[in-house]
Amino acid sequence: MPVFKHAVVGSIPGTFSEATVMLPSAEHIDVGLARVQHQTYVRALANAGLEISQLPPDDTHPDCVFVEDPVLLIGGTALLASLGTPSRRGEERALERFLLSRPGVRIETMTLPDSLEGGDCMRVGRRIFVGASSRTNEGGLRRVREVFQPAGYDVIAVPVERHLHLKCFCSPLDDERILLAEGVVPPEAFRGARVIMTPSEELFAANCVTVGRVALIADGYPQTKQILEREGFDVVPLSVSEIQKADGSLTCLSVLS
Ligand code: CIR
């Protein structure tokens, strides 16, 4: 798999404060600050060497900035998801329009009741770990197998309980390593990958985005920063408080290819 060259990102819509949340928080989302934090994230991806394509905001979909969820894009094949969240269904159309304009991308689809969200999908080399969560069901997992197994990927289910998505507590560092927060699922769940642990109190930082040697993480997590530096990464901490209030983290804001 070549190193990433390109990122699709979304935009924060005016309706972002109505984003879907697991536990409605008393804290109000500052949409202006969310936009500043998001643009800083996009700049960090560009500084890491990626070409950026930014989709416009869609006020009818408050969660549209979380572009990772409506598509699983691996090696030129894009599986458009039927999202597990009714309010988010239709977000995949904007990704589809964009991907149709990219040369060499093959689009695959799925239909309800099969459901899948990209936040539950983690590719590590030739393995795709798929979280069995409240958003991704058996049918979604089967569709990932049908589409990607013929291309040589091993598709492995991982149980996800009490968390929104698989990548709420882990993320890929490269084609061999993953970063995993302690105490959620045993490292053995990720067979074939080298698992780097980060302490449970820094769970939110287990979701990071790596582009080559650069690792973007949420700021305020010194132990994870040190662990990633020990693994050879140049760590860029980013402030994402308003994204976090909408149950988002770093990987969910981009689709890398
Ligand atoms: C949702 O509940 O769907 C959004 N508010 C957050 C989605 C975050 N996506 C991700 O981590 N992949």
Side-chain angles (χ1 to χ4, degrees), residues 5 20 40 42 46 83 129 146 159 194 215 229-230 235 247 250:
K5 293 195 173 77
T20 311
T40 308
V42 175
L83 289 146
F129 296 99
E146 285 168 356
R194 187 148 75 78
E229 284 168 348
R230 245 188 274 129
V235 179
D247 287 352
L250 299 196

Side-chain angles (χ1 to χ4, degrees), residues 6 8 71-80 95-108 148 255 257:
H6 183 264
V8 186
V71 67
L72 177 57
L73 175 61
I74 297 178
T77 298
L79 173 58
L80 291 178
L95 270 304
E96 180 181 24
R97 271 194 301 277
F98 172 75
L99 291 166
L100 283 171
S101 74
R102 299 284 291 177
V105 176
R106 185 172 67 101
I107 296 198
E108 292 280 351
F148 293 102
V255 179
S257 61

Side-chain angles (χ1 to χ4, degrees), residues 19-20 63 66 68-69 85 88 119 135 164-165 246-249 252:
T20 311
D63 288 292
F66 301 121
E68 171 178 64
D69 295 320
T85 330
R88 298 197 58 187
R135 302 284 182 94
L164 179 56
H165 289 129
D247 287 352
S249 39
C252 52

Side-chain angles (χ1 to χ4, degrees), residues 110-210:
M110 58 190 286
T111 45
L112 291 168
D114 299 346
S115 73
L116 180 78
E117 296 198 356
D120 278 318
C121 302
M122 178 168 71
R123 184 192 65 80
V124 185
R126 304 302 289 184
R127 294 179 179 81
I128 306 171
F129 296 99
V130 179
S133 72
S134 61
R135 302 284 182 94
T136 293
N137 63 18
E138 268 295 319
L141 174 70
R142 191 193 58 249
R143 201 66 194 112
V144 175
R145 283 213 170 99
E146 285 168 356
V147 171
F148 293 102
Q149 252 178 6
Y153 290 93
D154 199 4
V155 177
I156 301 155
V158 179
V160 174
E161 284 158 15
R162 295 185 302 280
H163 290 275
L164 179 56
H165 289 129
L166 174 69
K167 280 187 280 187
C168 289
F169 52 85
C170 61
S171 50
L173 296 180
D174 54 23
D175 280 352
E176 286 159 15
R177 292 174 292 178
I178 69 163
L179 183 65
L180 171 68
E182 279 166 3
V184 189
V185 295
E188 295 73 38
F190 302 96
R191 68 164 191 265
R194 187 148 75 78
V195 179
I196 313 296
M197 304 299 295
T198 199
S200 55
E201 65 271 22
E202 296 207 356
L203 179 122
F204 186 66
N207 179 286
C208 70
V209 172
T210 59

